[in-house]
Amino acid sequence: MAVNTSPESPLPVGEVSRLIGGWIDRLGAVWVEGQITQLSRRPGAGVVFLTLRDPSYDVSVSVTCYRQVFDAVADVVGEGTRVVVHAKPEWYAPRGQLSLRAAEIKPVGVGELLARLEQLKKALAREGLFAPERKKPLPFLPRLIGLVCGRASAAERDVLENARRRWPAVRFEVRNVAVQGVHAVPQVVQAVKELDELDAVDVIIVARGGGSVEDLLPFSDEQLVRAVAACRTPVVSAIGHEPDNPLLDHVADLRASTPTDAAKKVVPDVGEEYERVRLLRDRARRCVEALVEREERGLAHALARPSMEDPHRMVDERAEQVASLLDRGRRSLRHALDRADSELTHTHARVVALSPAATLRRGYAVLQRADGQAVRAPGEVAAGEALRARVAEGEFSVRVDA
């Protein structure tokens, strides 16, 4: 319940500590899971002191238990062991300190850990964090490689040596972190985020050598998996050996079976690339030579044609045909003109023979009235009417007598 206070009526420290203790007492006994980071078993003491830490977060709490409680699991529990503790929260009012009084301690078995990991794996898969379409391609030749590994570890040596052996000019940005224990997850997550923020880093390798299931647990932590999923830089997982399969392998953009395999997959081999370039260059040379030879043969074949050897031959062969056709055309035109001239002459003769002028030259005359109409019958004229007589050589006037 809230406590009413003010600057004029504050609570003494002892009262605040007492109230906090009362609230904590109401919590009752709880089951708590964590990893033992510090263990103190003083000879002759009836109480064992240990620190329980959350592997995923920077949170720890002190735990005390009677010696007989701890002796029941002393053979299988030590620093670094994941345990489940049934304890009641206690508040030490004089110092304002929270601790857990353990009544039972159970080590978390490998089978139980694997079952939890499988549940977490299915949950993350349903969110799509392992989907293939989320995988980012690795650059062919990274300029700068980010490496997250243990300090002076075999994994670091394997990656650096194999990468530089394959491509001597490769550069690394190394982050040495704890790769097992309670500090592994936050340090690895921080290192991955730092490298991801560097624009010069083209790919990130998270490497660790082999180990037990418990040793590799940090690389199956949900916090680390989500941090890698959020990276914009491609991430390569190189954890343990071939049989090891932490959740980091599923969310990473590329999974390498070992740190050495990671170096081989991330960095191309300069000798292999040189040989590939040589083969491509030879192939290109052969293609160009074949093309030139094919064009030379085609040119030689074209030059060997009669039309190319003697370009005027075809003209000379056609000249006689052209002359013959020209002469034939002239004859045909001449015959056509002669025939047309003959027909015109005959037609002209007929026209002349049938024309009125020819009739007039034979002594006939045409009488026309004043309106120009020809007189065809005597009844068409009257006595004394003036007419015009047209003859071959001209015309003259006449008058009707009777």
Side-chain angles (χ1 to χ4, degrees):
M1 296 176 61
V3 178
N4 294 325
T5 61
S6 68
E8 292 75 20
S9 58
L11 290 178
V13 174
E15 181 63 15
V16 173
S17 181
R18 185 187 65 80
L19 291 174
I20 294 174
W23 293 330
I24 292 176
D25 286 339
R26 296 192 188 98
L27 181 61
V30 292
W31 286 98
V32 182
E33 180 183 356
Q35 189 173 23
I36 298 176
T37 58
Q38 294 180 356
L39 179 61
S40 176
R41 299 176 63 187
R42 299 173 183 174
V47 179
V48 177
F49 299 90
L50 52 93
T51 300
L52 201 62
R53 185 183 182 89
D54 190 327
S56 301
Y57 302 94
D58 190 16
V59 178
S60 60
V61 65
S62 298
V63 180
T64 61
C65 65
Y66 291 114
R67 177 173 291 275
Q68 56 268 28
V69 174
F70 186 82
D71 288 345
V73 293
D75 296 336
V76 293
V77 169
E79 291 187 1
T81 306
R82 293 177 68 101
V83 295
V84 175
V85 177
H86 189 237
K88 185 179 185 305
E90 291 184 347
W91 179 257
Y92 185 60
R95 293 185 180 178
Q97 182 177 358
L98 174 68
S99 64
L100 298 177
R101 171 72 66 173
E104 186 177 359
I105 300 177
K106 290 184 177 182
V108 178
V110 174
E112 186 176 358
L113 286 175
L114 294 178
R116 293 183 183 179
L117 289 180
E118 187 63 26
Q119 292 177 356
L120 178 60
K121 176 181 177 182
K122 293 179 179 179
L124 296 176
R126 285 194 297 268
E127 294 184 27
L129 296 186
F130 303 156
E133 55 269 18
R134 294 187 71 259
K135 308 295 184 183
K136 295 179 285 293
L138 270 62
F140 168 71
L141 181 59
R143 297 168 298 174
L144 181 64
I145 300 175
L147 177 60
V148 181
C149 59
R151 184 179 303 277
S153 61
E156 178 181 7
R157 183 178 62 255
D158 290 345
V159 172
L160 296 180
E161 290 182 357
N162 284 278
R164 287 167 178 162
R165 187 180 300 118
R166 291 173 63 84
W167 198 275
V170 68
R171 296 184 299 119
F172 281 90
E173 183 73 21
V174 181
R175 293 290 187 274
N176 294 122
V177 297
V179 292
Q180 69 181 60
V182 294
H183 301 290
V185 173
Q187 291 187 14
V188 174
V189 170
Q190 181 64 26
V192 169
K193 290 182 178 179
E194 289 179 2
L195 293 174
D196 186 50
E197 292 174 356
L198 297 178
D199 294 334
V201 174
D202 296 321
V203 63
I204 300 173
I205 300 176
V206 181
R208 186 203 190 282
S212 63
V213 175
E214 292 84 353
D215 294 338
L216 300 182
L217 278 179
F219 300 96
S220 293
D221 187 86
E222 182 177 0
Q223 184 183 0
L224 176 58
V225 171
R226 294 190 181 278
V228 171
C231 285
R232 58 180 179 84
T233 308
V235 178
V236 178
S237 173
I239 307 301
H241 303 297
E242 181 66 33
D244 299 322
N245 191 22
L247 296 185
L248 181 62
D249 287 351
H250 299 279
V251 73
D253 299 291
L254 179 67
R255 188 249 180 182
S257 58
T258 61
T260 300
D261 184 50
K264 293 180 179 179
K265 289 183 176 180
V266 171
V267 181
D269 184 85
V270 64
E272 294 177 358
E273 297 305 320
Y274 178 80
E275 181 65 17
R276 184 177 291 108
V277 171
R278 188 187 65 79
L279 293 176
L280 292 174
R281 184 175 55 195
D282 293 343
R283 180 181 176 184
R285 183 186 297 108
R286 290 194 300 270
C287 291
V288 172
E289 291 175 350
L291 176 62
V292 172
E293 291 177 359
R294 183 170 64 253
E295 295 301 324
E296 286 179 346
R297 289 194 300 269
L299 181 60
H301 180 70
L303 292 176
R305 292 180 178 177
S307 58
M308 297 299 294
E309 291 182 347
D310 186 7
H312 298 283
R313 180 178 179 179
M314 182 173 13
V315 177
D316 296 339
E317 291 177 351
R318 298 292 187 272
E320 185 177 352
Q321 297 179 7
V322 172
S324 176
L325 292 173
L326 181 60
D327 183 60
R328 180 181 175 183
R330 288 174 177 173
R331 290 196 305 270
S332 298
L333 179 60
R334 189 180 300 113
H335 291 163
L337 293 176
D338 292 344
R339 185 169 57 253
D341 182 66
S342 177
E343 291 178 355
L344 180 60
T345 302
H346 293 161
T347 301
H348 182 266
R350 288 196 299 270
V351 171
V352 170
L354 297 176
S355 67
T359 303
L360 294 177
R361 280 194 295 271
R362 288 198 299 271
Y364 293 95
V366 177
L367 296 177
Q368 293 178 318
R369 299 177 67 180
D371 58 2
Q373 292 184 356
V375 179
R376 293 180 176 81
E380 295 180 355
V381 296
E385 183 179 357
L387 301 175
R388 189 172 65 253
R390 184 176 182 180
V391 294
E393 299 299 331
E395 59 180 27
F396 56 87
S397 299
V398 297
R399 186 176 297 278
V400 179
D401 184 25

